[in-house]
Amino acid sequence: MTDSDDLRARLAKFTADRDWGRFHRPKNLAMALAGEVGELVAEFQWLTPEESEAVMADPAHAARVRSEMADVFVYLTQLAMRLDIDLYEVAHEKMDEVEVRYPPGVVPRSAGPSTP
């Protein structure tokens, strides 16, 4: 089993043990994901670019960032499970598209693409 498989199995058991599957519809999971992304963004909202680069140097701030990133990852994984999407597969597919769209040397480094 991979780390991804382990997490998916743990999330499935956690959800089943609490009978939360009935709440985990794609719409609800997407909305929860958006909320968690907002909480992650809030951790960086008023930081300068330099402060955002050094955020992990402050243990308390680093703990909050890790926690919010975990929430985002968990909800995204649950949404992918619900929709039967292999996130690693679609991430590679997306990178294939982006590599074609933005070959090296074509896009100035200061104005990079919006994805990813």
Side-chain angles (χ1 to χ4, degrees):
M1 275 185 116
T2 66
D3 289 342
S4 175
D5 292 334
D6 288 343
L7 178 60
R8 290 168 63 100
R10 185 172 181 185
L11 286 170
K13 181 177 181 342
F14 179 89
T15 300
D17 287 351
R18 289 156 181 79
D19 193 29
W20 287 358
R22 58 196 164 112
F23 305 116
H24 287 186
R25 304 294 184 208
K27 175 194 77 74
N28 297 24
L29 291 168
M31 291 173 69
L33 175 60
E36 294 300 339
V37 168
E39 291 179 20
L40 176 60
V41 169
E43 292 298 328
F44 292 90
Q45 184 172 4
W46 303 114
L47 302 181
T48 66
E50 295 76 20
E51 289 169 335
S52 72
E53 291 288 339
V55 74
M56 300 309 284
D58 172 32
H61 204 165
R64 292 192 308 271
V65 168
R66 280 193 303 274
S67 178
E68 295 307 336
M69 289 184 73
D71 288 340
V72 168
F73 188 67
V74 164
Y75 276 117
L76 182 61
T77 300
Q78 288 176 314
L79 180 58
M81 289 168 58
R82 186 67 184 203
L83 297 174
D84 196 28
I85 293 172
D86 180 327
L87 288 171
Y88 291 93
E89 180 181 320
V90 298
H92 281 288
E93 290 171 1
K94 185 65 173 187
M95 287 304 304
D96 291 344
E97 292 173 23
V98 173
E99 286 174 346
V100 169
R101 192 176 327 137
Y102 302 103
V106 172
V107 178
R109 289 189 183 272
S110 62
S114 60
T115 304

